[in-house]
Amino acid sequence: MAVTDHVDFPTFMEGVKKRNPHQPEFVQAVQEVAEDIFDFIEDKEDYHSEQILRRIAEPDRVVSFRVCWEDDAGNIRVQRGWRVQNNNAIGPYKGGIRFHPSVNESVLKFLAFEQTFKNALTGLPMGGGKGGSNFNPKGKSVREIMRFCQSFMTELYRHIGADVDVPAGDIGVGGREIGFMFGQYKRITGEFTGVLTGKGLEWGGSLIRTEATGYGAVYFLENMLKHRGESLDGKTAVISGSGNVATHAAEKIVQLGGKVLTLSDSGGFIHDPDGLTQEKIDWVKTHKTHRRGRISEYADHFTGATFHPDATPWNVPCDLALPCATQNELLGPDARALVENGCTAVSEGANMPSDLEAVHVFKDAKIMFAPGKAANAGGVAVSGLEMSQNSERRAWKEDELQAMLHDIMDGIHDRCITYGDQGGGYVDYVKGANIAGFKKVADAMLAFGVV
Ligand code: GLU
């Protein structure tokens, strides 16, 4: 019988790079996981001989399609759409849809790969997928967005289903876009099913789905601090982003006694030394979501706050940092500045916001660092609970859901400790999350044989 030689880490990564040329984000995400998994599987023959990591790092399929739509001026516009179905070993593919000009196959493959581990960590039966388009919603009218969403779903509908693949929102896709896509799915198929999550409360959505990612990232942070005998009370936090994740993370930090100093968008960041209050956060929510405004206007509105164009908030001294905007927004030098300025804990609200160098800076400094696949899993976890409610054709109460979200984030923290405890009080949360997520998916794959 042929026996596959054990491939070492450099050879494995060389193969990943060769097979995925011009896909730096995907290669980065695989490397971050493989660094830990190679140590873990060293003495585990099955994982080697069954080529488990090699198989998880090859999406089950990548569907790419044309999306045509007509703008308000009557011009025909053509965008590219994708759905990356990475792995469904433990449940239907699950993951958001992103509309942003930076979206390409590499970005979606990285996100679908990350999602596979994140979803496994939640303990819920969800596989990993991600989709999106290079469509830029910025500056488009509501009708244009509706026509784009309808055209996108006219192609996507044949690849998804409540037991097949359940998309949700992500950057550029919120409740409004989910509504347009759900409406089109229902129109084409004639079925009312839980095929998307992040739905409106009147039509199958779940309470606390909107808050879940930001709140979850703070619950995870709280768990890390608690593990070291500390709390959020009185601590200062810098947050990037000003969307759904950032504003709800800010809200929860303030509720738990912390002080939030910054928020940002692609134009720069605002620094409010007095700290954000609930009233200020509510203003940002309305300003960004309903008025689609810029964060710079915060500084005109609230005295004492300053706006810093074309800059990120990582040089502002703080105890805690929560990157909640997008991938690779926190680089090696930013991580060094945070550590030098006394930051002791980082919780990633976005997906892979810290680049590989930044992750290594945090690990070397042995600060508490929660990777996105653990820290931001609260969003998809409540999506999983939305799927359960849809299957049951019931809607659960807010306090039940809050307790479940808290419980799921505590469970993820426990799983990270199981595989990431390095002794001497230091927990390598990246390693813990990677191994715990991998093990669940890998063991399911072993059970299925070579498929
Ligand atoms: N886009 C979110 C994430 O990155 C949520 C996905 C979902 O709810 O399916 O996890």
Side-chain angles (χ1 to χ4, degrees):
M1 198 173 98
V3 173
T4 316
D5 282 342
H6 284 196
V7 179
D8 62 8
F9 173 71
T11 315
F12 174 80
M13 282 314 303
E14 222 171 87
V16 171
K17 282 182 195 143
K18 210 161 104 197
R19 282 189 300 276
N20 302 281
H22 317 299
Q23 300 200 337
E25 294 86 359
F26 178 63
V27 171
Q28 179 185 338
V30 174
Q31 178 164 340
E32 193 186 295
V33 169
E35 280 177 3
D36 292 319
I37 299 306
F38 267 83
D39 278 351
F40 174 67
I41 64 175
E42 199 180 350
D43 56 350
K44 297 176 182 67
E45 186 50 39
D46 276 3
Y47 296 148
H48 282 288
S49 58
E50 299 298 310
Q51 300 267 16
I52 299 294
L53 186 58
R54 169 86 173 78
R55 284 156 64 188
I56 299 179
E58 191 68 46
D60 288 356
R61 65 194 60 78
V62 178
V63 185
S64 163
F65 47 92
R66 186 184 64 229
V67 187
C68 300
W69 59 286
E70 190 176 343
D71 70 19
D72 288 344
N75 301 303
I76 302 305
R77 312 278 288 258
V78 183
Q79 245 74 47
R80 195 169 291 174
W82 289 269
R83 186 71 183 165
V84 178
Q85 296 179 330
N86 194 70
N87 188 293
N88 66 351
I90 62 165
Y93 304 106
K94 180 84 196 86
I97 290 176
R98 179 177 290 193
F99 291 162
H100 193 270
S102 66
V103 166
N104 57 38
E105 203 173 301
S106 170
V107 167
L108 294 177
K109 276 171 66 179
F110 118 64
L111 289 164
F113 178 80
E114 285 280 295
Q115 199 84 42
T116 303
F117 295 84
K118 184 197 309 194
N119 294 2
L121 277 170
T122 64
L124 300 174
M126 301 182 289
K130 201 87 181 192
S133 172
N134 58 352
F135 173 72
N136 186 0
K138 217 181 262 177
K140 303 290 188 298
S141 71
V142 177
R143 289 289 175 192
E144 288 176 324
I145 288 173
M146 180 187 79
R147 286 196 292 275
F148 178 80
C149 288
Q150 290 175 338
S151 184
F152 184 85
M153 183 52 85
T154 300
E155 183 58 36
L156 183 69
Y157 91 95
R158 69 190 82 241
H159 306 291
I160 61 176
D163 294 316
V164 179
D165 183 353
V166 183
D170 196 80
I171 294 171
V173 177
R176 180 180 69 184
E177 290 75 19
I178 293 292
F180 292 148
M181 286 191 272
F182 186 76
Q184 184 72 350
Y185 182 89
K186 191 165 66 61
R187 178 190 187 193
I188 294 171
T189 62
E191 279 181 8
F192 194 115
T193 64
V195 68
L196 295 169
T197 61
K199 299 187 291 299
L201 292 177
E202 305 79 6
W203 36 283
S206 174
L207 285 165
I208 80 158
R209 175 62 189 87
T210 314
E211 297 87 345
T213 314
Y215 280 16
V218 177
Y219 293 151
F220 198 91
L221 182 60
E222 209 188 8
N223 267 311
M224 293 199 294
L225 291 165
K226 217 192 296 169
H227 192 69
R228 285 210 184 168
E230 296 174 36
S231 82
L232 268 162
D233 198 32
K235 295 222 166 38
T236 54
V238 297
I239 299 182
S240 64
S242 46
N244 184 40
V245 182
T247 50
H248 288 104
E251 182 168 293
K252 188 49 75 181
I253 287 184
V254 173
Q255 282 172 12
L256 295 173
K259 187 174 179 182
V260 176
L261 301 175
T262 68
L263 288 175
S264 71
D265 64 16
S266 57
F269 76 95
I270 56 102
H271 181 197
D272 187 344
D274 297 332
L276 277 80
T277 55
Q278 186 63 48
E279 186 203 336
K280 291 173 178 177
I281 296 166
D282 288 342
W283 182 88
V284 175
K285 282 186 191 170
T286 311
H287 182 66
K288 293 294 291 190
T289 316
H290 302 301
R291 292 199 290 270
R292 314 254 157 196
R294 308 302 299 163
I295 199 67
S296 58
E297 290 165 58
Y298 181 103
D300 305 329
H301 207 77
F302 298 107
T303 46
T306 48
F307 175 64
H308 304 260
D310 302 320
T312 52
W314 314 125
N315 287 302
V316 175
C318 61
D319 302 309
L320 315 165
L322 292 94
C324 297
T326 192
Q327 69 269 8
N328 293 330
E329 53 158 321
L330 196 165
L331 310 178
D334 303 320
R336 274 188 285 278
L338 281 168
V339 171
E340 275 160 26
N341 286 332
C343 175
T344 58
V346 177
S347 182
E348 292 189 332
N351 290 311
M352 205 172 74
S354 310
D355 75 351
L356 273 174
E357 190 188 337
V359 173
H360 287 139
V361 170
F362 294 141
K363 281 189 172 202
D364 292 345
K366 295 199 165 174
I367 70 164
M368 292 169 262
F369 172 65
K373 60 174 80 74
N376 74 36
V380 75
V382 175
S383 274
L385 301 178
E386 182 172 330
M387 289 166 72
S388 304
Q389 293 170 81
N390 291 166
S391 300
E392 247 192 309
R393 300 190 192 284
R394 282 189 56 213
W396 300 338
K397 293 196 188 85
E398 180 168 347
D399 54 348
E400 293 173 311
L401 286 156
Q402 292 281 13
M404 284 187 231
L405 170 61
H406 218 299
D407 199 50
I408 289 170
M409 296 314 295
D410 293 352
I412 297 173
H413 185 263
D414 288 349
R415 277 171 218 123
C416 289
I417 301 270
T418 304
Y419 295 103
D421 194 345
Q422 305 295 290
Y426 175 60
V427 181
D428 182 342
Y429 285 95
V430 178
K431 185 176 180 176
N434 283 338
I435 296 177
F438 172 81
K439 195 173 178 311
K440 180 164 180 187
V441 177
D443 290 345
M445 289 172 74
L446 286 180
F448 303 147
V450 183
V451 288

